[in-house]
Amino acid sequence: MQTEKIKLENLYFDPDNLRYDDDFTFNEVPQDRIMNKSNQIQVYKKLQNDISELKDSIVENDFLYIEMIIADKIDKKNYYIVEGNRRLASLKYINENYDIDDLKPNLQKIMSEGLEIKVNNKNYDEDILMGMRHITGVKHWNGFSKAKLVVKLKDQKNYDFETISKKIGKRVADVKKQYFSFKLLQKMESDGYSKFEVKNLYTIFYETLAKPTFRDWLDWDEERLEFMNKNNLERFYKWVSKVEDIDGNIKDEAISSPQTLREVSKILNDEYALEILDTTRNPFEAINNSKILKDKKLVKTLKKVLDSLESISTTDLEELDIESKEYLEKIEKKIESNLKYLKFLESE
């Protein structure tokens, strides 16, 4: 890549940058529309929410060329930024809102002479550059944006999972989960749920694919890229979405975090607990009333009792004091009583 110094007015934002892309589609802006004023204003406004700390830091410390700013050519004098859109937005904001004489030396030079950039010249796939930087790099994108890039590399650029894994420096299993999660979110949107609600569920779906109990309960089919148990899927949709009750009141999600999902995964085979979850939308009430978990807890308790009794040696028994003997006798009577009641229940 060659280095060039370009005036700020000749540097444009990338309208297809996935950092501020919240859509499921891949409708790329044609190169001859990149400089379109409305496209640039839209991107600039979106970036304002993500540069407050960065622009303040640049004003305070000056602009330092620690990280490369990479651009592709639009025409002979204009370029769009492939890597460094936040920094460009910060510089444009500073240029618009500060007097040049109040700025640090490097900033003054940039405002008057231009910004040093590395010109890609199409030697590198810009989407791979983005993956290297923002899936495993310095300023991470959100999960949805990372997954969308993986889908783009797989579906539009025909990279296989292993190649994507090597190029962006992430495990194949993680790349697959990102890809599958995005596809499942697309399916949920096509099933009638709001795009803005669905895209915020990325971490929930990613965790769902990570839990074998949930994959089995929903009957995950990797070939078809969908959950095949439609009854359980519709139930799951309701758990992770806001719903309206019969009085028109909006109820919060029953499962709103990966942590809660992991807890619910323990009761998926307990229909009684799931019905409580459906009715109350309170996962902790459902978990606390789970018959399966209670049985497991009882088994664990009995095992601890048995382990404790087996740890008593013959020497310990020989030296047993009166109080300890009384406790052993109480344990014996309690066990006999419980076994007697258990036999009665079995005879019914």
Side-chain angles (χ1 to χ4, degrees):
M1 294 184 189
Q2 65 187 52
T3 301
E4 294 190 22
K5 187 176 287 187
I6 309 297
K7 291 274 194 177
L8 289 182
E9 59 263 32
N10 298 119
L11 291 174
Y12 292 84
F13 303 112
D14 177 7
D16 293 318
N17 190 287
L18 294 176
R19 179 188 295 281
Y20 35 79
D21 187 347
D22 58 5
D23 198 79
F24 284 100
T25 61
F26 291 88
N27 299 322
E28 294 189 0
V29 176
Q31 187 158 313
D32 60 5
R33 296 284 296 167
I34 289 176
M35 295 168 59
N36 176 272
K37 189 173 181 179
S38 63
N39 284 335
Q40 289 297 308
I41 290 173
Q42 186 179 25
V43 174
Y44 189 45
K45 284 182 177 177
K46 287 183 177 180
L47 281 167
Q48 294 308 304
N49 299 322
D50 197 29
I51 64 169
S52 58
E53 294 178 355
L54 178 59
K55 66 179 186 258
D56 290 345
S57 174
I58 291 173
V59 170
E60 180 66 26
N61 301 301
D62 207 352
F63 186 87
L64 306 175
Y65 289 97
I66 297 173
E67 301 287 341
M68 287 194 302
I69 293 180
I70 303 173
D72 273 345
K73 272 189 175 183
I74 300 173
D75 54 34
K76 288 184 178 179
K77 69 173 185 175
N78 297 302
Y79 299 77
Y80 71 92
I81 299 299
V82 174
E83 165 55 33
N85 281 277
R86 292 175 66 249
R87 281 168 285 168
L88 177 62
S90 298
L91 290 171
K92 284 182 178 284
Y93 179 90
I94 293 167
N95 189 42
E96 293 167 2
N97 293 278
Y98 287 80
D99 189 306
I100 191 169
D101 294 330
D102 296 331
L103 300 176
K104 304 281 186 181
N106 283 351
L107 277 172
Q108 288 188 8
K109 202 170 183 180
I110 289 168
M111 301 308 165
S112 59
E113 299 177 14
L115 178 68
E116 289 185 7
I117 62 168
K118 293 285 186 180
V119 181
N120 183 19
N121 291 328
K122 305 297 181 183
N123 291 329
Y124 298 95
D125 185 326
E126 64 183 62
D127 289 313
I128 294 298
L129 286 173
M130 293 301 92
M132 292 165 63
R133 292 286 296 160
H134 299 296
I135 291 182
T136 53
V138 177
K139 175 68 176 180
H140 287 187
W141 286 340
N142 62 45
F144 181 87
S145 297
K146 295 176 186 179
K148 184 168 183 178
L149 177 59
V150 169
V151 172
K152 184 178 182 182
L153 294 172
K154 177 76 167 59
D155 291 356
Q156 297 191 353
K157 303 211 167 176
N158 298 317
Y159 290 108
D160 57 36
F161 288 124
E162 288 73 18
T163 302
I164 296 171
S165 168
K166 290 174 183 175
K167 286 185 176 291
I168 67 176
K170 205 164 180 68
R171 294 189 313 149
V172 174
D174 294 332
V175 170
K176 283 186 172 184
K177 276 186 287 190
Q178 288 176 312
Y179 180 86
F180 297 149
S181 297
F182 188 91
K183 291 294 184 178
L184 289 170
L185 291 172
Q186 271 187 316
K187 180 65 170 62
M188 186 175 180
E189 187 199 23
S190 70
D191 286 341
Y193 288 81
S194 161
K195 173 183 73 176
F196 300 104
E197 182 180 18
V198 168
K199 80 180 193 69
N200 291 324
L201 295 174
Y202 173 79
T203 56
I204 298 288
F205 274 77
Y206 187 91
E207 185 64 27
T208 301
L209 288 171
K211 299 299 293 183
T213 47
F214 256 109
R215 291 200 306 268
D216 293 343
W217 187 73
L218 290 165
D219 194 10
W220 166 241
D221 188 323
E222 188 170 316
E223 293 298 319
R224 298 185 183 183
L225 299 179
E226 63 179 306
F227 294 124
M228 302 308 296
N229 190 320
K230 302 307 177 187
N231 290 331
N232 285 349
L233 180 59
E234 188 56 38
R235 204 174 190 180
F236 178 72
Y237 281 169
K238 290 178 180 177
W239 292 342
V240 300
S241 307
K242 295 182 186 296
V243 297
E244 187 176 332
D245 65 17
I246 56 175
D247 297 320
N249 300 313
I250 302 300
K251 298 289 187 180
D252 287 337
E253 303 87 346
I255 298 176
S256 58
S257 70
Q259 291 80 8
T260 304
L261 183 132
R262 285 194 285 271
E263 293 302 312
V264 171
S265 70
K266 299 173 184 176
I267 62 170
L268 290 176
N269 293 322
D270 188 338
E271 185 58 32
Y272 175 74
L274 295 185
E275 286 177 2
I276 293 175
L277 181 60
D278 290 335
T279 305
T280 66
R281 298 185 67 76
N282 185 330
F284 303 106
E285 186 174 341
I287 291 164
N288 288 336
N289 286 280
S290 168
K291 293 178 179 178
I292 288 177
L293 292 186
K294 283 181 180 178
D295 289 344
K296 287 182 179 178
K297 187 176 180 181
L298 179 58
V299 169
K300 190 178 288 186
T301 300
L302 291 172
K303 187 176 184 302
K304 283 183 179 178
V305 171
L306 180 60
D307 289 342
S308 298
L309 291 172
E310 288 181 339
S311 69
I312 300 173
S313 67
T314 53
T315 304
D316 293 330
L317 291 172
E318 290 170 0
E319 299 174 355
L320 216 58
D321 57 39
I322 295 174
E323 186 181 12
S324 298
K325 287 180 182 179
E326 288 176 352
Y327 272 110
L328 271 178
E329 289 170 355
K330 286 179 181 179
I331 291 170
E332 181 184 25
K333 287 178 182 178
K334 187 62 179 174
I335 291 173
E336 287 177 351
S337 173
N338 285 343
L339 287 173
K340 186 176 180 181
Y341 183 67
L342 185 60
K343 288 177 180 178
F344 168 75
L345 291 176
E346 291 173 346
S347 67
E348 286 288 296

